[in-house]
């Protein structure tokens, strides 16, 4: 096995000269390379070198388009807080297992892309999203469930009024399809199993009831699905939040 040297070995004749030449040559090349790099990189140094040659992007941060800032809202927080159990008007609303709800369908603040005026409720059927347009370029977005094919409505209308823990009365045509609902032809009282959930917003168009509602639902797993009889449904915790933000006559756009 080769032994490691125990100390400096005296140079043979000519070794020192060659070593010095090699080091000097490396220093020159290194210095030249650094100057060349500065020359082509367009760097601005304290020595005043400014030689743009590689067409690198040297724009300052302030000139780069930045995503608009998102506002802060005390009711838009972590999902374990937003979807925790709560007591509302004497009803104990159970917590929602939010990890089973796709992140995009959880309540959140987003940049408004609807182009509608603040206060407008925009329901995007294809996206399964509801937007409440805010001042300043934001929107609060909620995931929704929508009607099955053949049971959907679209257009422009208004919220005529709202109800907390509303009574649900199935229309006659629904009772014909599901005779077991005849027991509720006089109305099902509000409660945890009521299909309208914790809140309902009633959609009118030109002063007439469209028959469609934006409402809560105990069936949180239906959010993102097309399975209702035409109404727009939200998680109960979300409809409680939305209801607290709207007033009579809010414009509604369903598209």
């Amino acid at each position: 096995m080769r032994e490691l040297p125990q100390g400096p070995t005296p140079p043979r004749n000519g070794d020192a000269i060659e070593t010095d030449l090699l080091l000097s040559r490396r220093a020159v090349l290194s210095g030249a390379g650094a100057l060349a790099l500065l020359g082509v990189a367009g760097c601005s140094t304290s020595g005043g070198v400014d030689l743009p040659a590689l067409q690198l992007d040297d724009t300052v941060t302030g000139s780069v388009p930045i995503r608009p800032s998102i506002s802060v809202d005390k009711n838009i927080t972590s999902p374990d807080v937003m979807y925790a159990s709560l007591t509302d008007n004497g009803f104990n609303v159970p917590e929602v297992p939010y990890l089973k709800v796709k992140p995009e369908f959880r309540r959140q603040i987003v940049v408004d892309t609807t182009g509608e005026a603040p206060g407008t409720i925009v329901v995007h059927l294809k996206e399964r999203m509801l937007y409440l347009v805010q001042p300043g370029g934001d929107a609060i977005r909620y995931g929704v469930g929508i009607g099955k094919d053949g049971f959907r409505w679209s257009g422009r209308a208004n919220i005529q009024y709202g109800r907390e823990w509303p009574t649900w009365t199935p229309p006659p045509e629904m009772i014909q399809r599901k005779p077991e609902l005849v027991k509720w032809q006089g109305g099902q009282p509000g409660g945890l199993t009521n299909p309208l959930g914790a809140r309902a917003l009633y959609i009118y168009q030109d002063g007439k009831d469209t028959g469609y509602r934006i409402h809560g639902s105990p069936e949180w797993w239906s959010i993102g699905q097309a399975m209702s009889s035409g109404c727009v449904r939200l998680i109960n915790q979300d409809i409680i939040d939305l209801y607290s933000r709207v007033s009579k006559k809010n414009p509604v756009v369903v598209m």
Side-chain angles (χ1 to χ4, degrees):
M1 179 180 295
R2 181 182 176 185
E3 294 184 354
L4 294 175
Q6 300 302 313
T9 302
R12 296 191 303 269
N13 187 29
D15 282 355
I17 298 175
E18 291 179 1
T19 301
D20 291 340
L21 288 174
L22 179 60
L23 291 175
S24 299
R25 183 180 180 186
R26 287 178 177 172
V28 171
L29 291 176
S30 176
L35 289 175
L37 183 59
L38 287 175
V40 299
C43 295
S44 208
T45 69
S46 59
V49 179
D50 189 8
L51 303 173
L54 286 184
Q55 299 181 349
L56 299 180
D57 185 0
D58 60 354
T59 54
V60 296
T61 304
S63 65
V64 178
I66 299 176
R67 180 183 180 186
S69 60
I70 297 296
S71 64
V72 176
D73 189 295
K74 64 182 179 64
N75 289 327
I76 312 294
T77 181
S78 59
D80 60 319
V81 174
M82 292 190 296
Y83 298 112
S85 61
L86 59 93
T87 300
D88 181 82
N89 287 356
F91 294 102
N92 296 319
V93 181
E95 68 176 337
V96 173
Y98 65 88
L99 290 176
K100 296 182 179 180
V101 178
K102 291 183 178 180
E104 61 265 33
F105 293 137
R106 301 173 195 163
R107 187 192 323 161
Q108 56 194 280
I109 301 177
V110 298
V111 174
D112 174 49
T113 59
T114 68
E116 299 290 339
T120 304
I121 296 172
V122 180
V123 179
H124 199 298
L125 297 174
K126 185 176 180 179
E127 291 181 359
R128 314 289 204 264
M129 300 290 187
L130 182 150
Y131 299 84
L132 177 60
V133 181
Q134 302 292 292
D138 292 343
I140 301 176
R141 191 179 75 188
Y142 309 82
V144 300
I146 64 171
K148 297 176 289 188
D149 289 341
F151 290 90
R152 297 174 192 163
W153 175 86
S154 61
R156 287 184 174 268
N158 290 85
I159 298 299
Q160 186 73 9
Y161 61 92
R163 291 286 184 270
E164 299 184 12
W165 296 100
T167 297
W168 176 64
T169 304
E173 57 271 20
M174 181 179 288
I175 295 177
Q176 290 179 357
R177 297 194 306 271
K178 298 180 178 180
E180 67 273 16
L181 296 178
V182 68
K183 63 181 179 179
W184 301 125
Q185 62 183 355
Q188 180 181 357
L192 295 174
T193 61
N194 188 299
L196 293 182
R199 304 285 190 275
L201 298 168
Y202 295 76
I203 301 176
Y204 276 57
Q205 188 178 54
D206 299 326
K208 297 180 180 179
D209 188 355
T210 64
Y212 292 93
R213 318 286 185 241
I214 298 172
H215 64 84
S217 173
E219 299 175 338
W220 56 264
W221 57 88
S222 67
I223 301 305
Q225 307 295 319
M227 55 186 297
S228 76
S229 295
C231 294
V232 177
R233 58 172 63 181
L234 289 79
I235 294 173
N236 269 331
Q237 282 86 337
D238 282 345
I239 191 64
I240 291 173
D241 180 80
L242 175 64
Y243 188 92
S244 71
R245 299 174 186 273
V246 301
S247 58
K248 189 176 179 180
K249 304 297 184 181
N250 278 71
V252 178
V253 180
V254 180
M255 52 187 293

